[in-house]
Each structure stands twice: as structure tokens, then as C-alpha cells.
Amino acid sequence: MFAHPLADGVRLRTLEPWHADEFAAHLERAREHIRPWVGPSFVTETVDAAHATLIRYAEATAKDQARPVGIWKDEILVGGMMFAGFDPTGGNAELGCWLEPAAEGHGLITGAGRFLLDWAFGERKLHRVEWRCRADNVRSAAVARRLGMTHEATLRQAWLNGGIHHDKQIWAILAHESRYADVPAQRLS
Ligand SMILES: CC(C)(COP(=O)(O)OP(=O)(O)OC[C@H]1O[C@@H](n2cnc3c(N)ncnc32)[C@H](O)[C@@H]1OP(=O)(O)O)[C@@H](O)C(=O)NCCC(=O)NCCS
């Protein structure tokens, strides 16, 4: 219902269970592109399974533990970004993302990421947002860098996917490193 315009013809909206048909159609276009890089439970094959994913995120959102956002370009769902973990008590969150191939290379994820970081630091007063990716996921690491994150560590063989234990990078940005660093809190609320 509510949408945030990101660029000409591009809108961010909360991704909800009633988007299951669109989400499943998008996964048809994205599945093999994202499979090497995202958790296997996200890469579903049917509308029912896509619906179950969105229900899972809706339940976590209701508990303020996650926040999935879809990206619509020319009214087509082409990808998304989410707080896969969100802990307002501890002040931490983890941001993740994906796109179908045709949507790559236009800055959609970087734009969505800036919007979500502003929300996390500005409105929700979080302290730290993390980014985790396979160490050889060059495009994902480039987004983290563009968002102003610091590469903090590479965890050796820490992520099992497709039968292989991949090295995993951790990137993060702290509130004082964000563009909200010098803005008094009362001006953000
Ligand atoms: C990771 C992923 C989402 C990154 O997508 P992306 O298109 O590279 O990232 P963005 O949407 O931020 O776009 C950046 C690209 O658009 C270009 N661009 C154009 N306009 C831009 C703008 N206004 N701002 C920033 N970048 C812009 C950039 O130069 C860059 O292209 P380049 O890498 O060819 O130089 C995508 O590669 C993907 O879905 N991969 C598979 C799933 C995945 O890995 N998910 C992450 C798991 S950790």
C-alpha cells in the first residue's frame, strides 16, 4: 500500500505475503542467478513455497526481528533488500539483498540500501548494521563498500552452500559512520 519512490519508475514497498504470486514469478527469473549466493531456503520453486517465505518474514517483521522490502521497476518486482536480522534492543541488524539479472547494474540496491540504513540509524537509532557475503561475491562486496561499510573479517569456510564450505566476509557500518553521525537525535524523530 505504501511505497517509497527510489528513482524514475522505481519503488520500494514492504514485501508481504499477498505478493506471493509476483514473488514466485520474480524467483523464476532470479533463481539460478541468486542460488550460489543466498541461503537455500530463500530459493523456492513454487508459489506455495514463496508464500511460506513471505509468511516467515511477516511473522519476524511483526516481532520487529526482520524487515523485507521489494524493489519494483516499471511495476515489476525485480529484487529486494531486507533486514534479515533486526535487534533493536542490542542495536544490531543484518542487511541482505538480491536482484534478478536484468535489474543489475542500475544502482537499485545501493539506493535501497541507503534508504534502509537511514531508517535503521535515523528512525530506529540502531548502532551497527552488518553485511555478510560469500568472499568471492564481488558485486555484493562492492555494494557494501558503496554503502560506506568496512570489511571487518573473512571467516574461513564458514558458509555451507551447494556442498562447499565457502569463506564468508563480514562488513559493517556503525551509526557514527553514517550520515546521521552529526544530526541531533531530536531532528530525526
Ligand atoms: C548483489 C547484487 C544485488 C548487486 O547488484 P548490483 O546491480 O551490482 O548493485 P546495485 O544495484 O547497487 O548497482 C550497482 C551497479 O550499478 C551501477 N550504477 C548505475 N547507476 C548507479 C547509481 N546511481 N548508484 C550506484 N550505482 C549505480 C554501478 O556502477 C554498478 O555497476 P558495476 O558494478 O557494473 O559498476 C546482485 O549482483 C545480485 O543479485 N547477485 C546475486 C544475489 C546476491 O549475491 N545477493 C547478495 C548475497 S550477500
Side-chain angles (χ1 to χ4, degrees), residues 5-185:
L6 202 60
D8 250 10
V10 180
R11 297 189 300 154
L12 295 184
R13 288 194 292 172
T14 305
L15 196 49
E16 298 181 33
W18 64 275
H19 294 123
D21 285 339
E22 276 181 276
F23 184 49
H26 157 63
L27 283 174
E28 280 298 318
R29 300 185 292 272
R31 189 176 298 115
E32 297 315 318
H33 179 61
I34 66 175
R35 196 189 291 282
W37 315 107
V38 305
S41 65
F42 189 77
V43 191
T44 53
E45 312 270 341
T46 64
V47 173
D48 283 352
H51 187 247
T53 301
L54 297 180
I55 293 275
R56 209 168 59 239
Y57 284 117
E59 287 170 353
T61 300
K63 294 179 192 158
D64 206 17
Q65 293 172 349
R67 201 71 54 165
V69 167
I71 302 173
W72 276 261
K73 187 167 188 290
D74 301 328
E75 305 304 325
I76 294 171
L77 177 63
V78 296
M81 200 151 198
M82 71 170 107
F83 287 110
F86 196 83
D87 172 14
T89 308
N92 295 299
E94 181 196 338
L95 203 48
C97 68
W98 75 97
L99 285 175
E100 59 187 59
E104 273 188 335
H106 303 287
L108 300 182
I109 291 295
T110 301
R114 288 193 179 119
F115 176 75
L116 291 178
L117 287 177
D118 285 356
W119 180 77
F121 290 130
E123 194 164 335
R124 301 302 309 274
K125 310 290 186 280
L126 257 59
H127 184 69
R128 171 185 166 92
V129 175
E130 272 188 15
W131 186 275
R132 302 173 187 187
C133 61
R134 230 174 92 168
D136 57 348
N137 193 342
V138 175
R139 293 194 84 97
S140 180
V143 174
R145 190 176 296 107
R146 256 185 245 114
L147 291 175
M149 294 185 169
T150 298
H151 177 208
E152 296 184 336
T154 298
L155 310 184
R156 296 176 306 149
Q157 302 187 9
W159 189 58
L160 178 62
N161 194 28
I164 296 170
H165 295 274
H166 298 277
D167 289 357
K168 179 165 92 174
Q169 291 182 351
I170 310 286
W171 295 70
I173 181 168
L174 305 178
H176 78 266
E177 297 163 343
S178 80
R179 58 177 163 171
Y180 282 103
D182 301 321
V183 181

